[in-house]
Amino acid sequence: MKIKCLIIDDEPLAINVIKNYIEQIEDLELVNTFSNSIEGLNFLKNNTIDVIFLDINMPVLDGINFIKSLENPPLLIITSAYDQFAIETYELDVLDYLVKPIEFPRLMKAVNKINKRLNNTSKVPQENSKENPFIFVKIDKKKMKKIFLNEILVIESLKDYLKISTTSGKFIIHSTLSDFTSLLPERDFIRIHRSYTIAIDKIDAVEGNSIEIEGLRYVIGRSYIDEVKQKILNSSI
């Protein structure tokens, strides 16, 4: 099921930029756009939206007062040319704050936050959930690749790039290991070295200061070894 998006911004150019980005992401659906927040409020009365990309400086009703007027707000991503409203909006439970001009990689980081929040939020707890959490990564200038979290084996740092090894293939992306690891659920993944983050459930064996996954060994860094072994022990039945 696609994530339904709404854009509210009084700048046509800004709307077009975000609209073009959304159209490149398979799991996002742009439902509508509005150049003022009053029209957006009226639309929300009869329509359900998952996330709003919202500008702050708008006539009649600004973005902050728009948020305060919502009884059950969807996820909110601020898109503003100014950064001085960041603290105030975070106090209103805004998921992310993007400063214009917005680059595609920065918007993708916000999209990954959206996926993480929606995947971790369930109105009815279910033991055997059919949800299969995923993350989008940019593997070249035009292509976004969906990677299911339960397929990830190892993420390896290659200076300014990462190699993501999965059960269905390997992918190179432009990111840091710290940034990418922060997007993953802590209960399922752990950083074992300055160059490696691994999926805990894919570990085949632990021997000394190394971990084996699918026949390959990965060294556990000295500063990580106590935390890694404790977490692996706690994850055991």
Side-chain angles (χ1 to χ4, degrees):
M1 201 167 176
K2 291 196 174 186
I3 298 170
K4 295 183 177 181
C5 304
L6 186 69
I7 301 173
I8 304 177
D9 197 310
D10 64 343
E11 299 177 27
L13 179 60
I15 288 178
N16 287 333
V17 168
I18 299 172
K19 178 182 177 181
N20 290 334
Y21 288 163
I22 289 174
E23 289 174 348
Q24 295 181 56
I25 304 171
E26 181 183 357
D27 278 41
L28 297 188
E29 176 187 354
L30 180 60
V31 177
N32 214 329
T33 68
F34 295 104
S35 58
N36 70 75
S37 52
I38 300 298
E39 291 179 347
L41 277 178
N42 291 332
F43 180 81
L44 289 171
K45 290 178 182 178
N46 301 306
N47 297 274
T48 301
I49 293 294
D50 298 309
V51 58
I52 300 175
F53 292 89
L54 177 68
D55 189 17
I56 293 288
N57 290 328
M58 289 185 289
V60 185
L61 182 68
D62 63 38
I64 290 175
N65 285 305
F66 170 84
I67 295 171
K68 291 178 179 178
S69 70
L70 299 175
E71 291 187 7
N72 298 298
L75 298 181
L76 298 162
I77 305 292
I78 297 299
T79 58
S80 175
Y82 309 96
D83 59 7
Q84 65 261 35
F85 304 107
I87 295 177
E88 185 175 0
T89 55
Y90 277 126
E91 291 174 351
L92 297 172
D93 198 29
V94 164
L95 184 62
D96 207 345
Y97 194 107
L98 310 184
V99 179
K100 299 173 183 176
I102 301 168
E103 299 292 335
F104 188 74
R106 181 63 184 88
L107 183 126
M108 274 310 306
K109 189 172 182 179
V111 172
N112 287 331
K113 287 184 180 181
I114 293 168
N115 286 322
K116 189 173 181 180
R117 176 72 68 87
L118 292 178
N119 287 327
N120 288 340
T121 302
S122 176
K123 293 181 180 179
V124 181
Q126 298 178 2
E127 287 285 326
N128 299 312
S129 174
K130 293 183 180 179
E131 291 183 2
N132 193 359
F134 56 85
I135 191 169
F136 275 100
V137 297
K138 190 173 186 180
I139 59 175
D140 59 38
K141 290 183 179 180
K142 296 183 179 180
K143 187 174 183 179
M144 301 298 301
K145 174 68 177 175
K146 179 196 286 186
I147 296 179
F148 291 100
L149 299 190
N150 63 5
E151 293 184 357
I152 296 177
L153 302 169
V154 178
I155 303 105
E156 179 182 356
S157 175
L158 304 172
K159 292 187 178 180
D160 295 329
Y161 293 84
L162 296 179
K163 180 171 72 174
I164 305 174
S165 299
T166 75
T167 55
S168 59
K170 297 180 180 180
F171 310 95
I172 302 295
I173 69 168
H174 182 65
S175 181
T176 66
L177 189 58
S178 295
D179 285 347
F180 191 83
T181 301
S182 70
L183 298 173
L184 303 173
E186 292 183 6
R187 67 182 182 279
D188 300 323
F189 295 87
I190 187 169
R191 189 166 180 175
I192 65 167
H193 189 276
R194 66 181 182 179
S195 298
Y196 301 109
T197 290
I198 57 97
I200 296 174
D201 68 340
K202 300 300 190 297
I203 297 173
D204 296 316
V206 180
E207 182 178 354
N209 67 336
S210 68
I211 283 174
E212 182 179 330
I213 298 177
E214 294 205 339
L216 297 177
R217 288 191 174 274
Y218 302 90
V219 175
I220 306 172
R222 288 184 180 180
S223 60
Y224 298 87
I225 195 161
D226 290 339
E227 179 185 355
V228 170
K229 289 191 173 183
Q230 185 63 44
K231 190 164 185 178
I232 292 172
L233 182 64
N234 291 341
S235 68
S236 303
I237 297 176

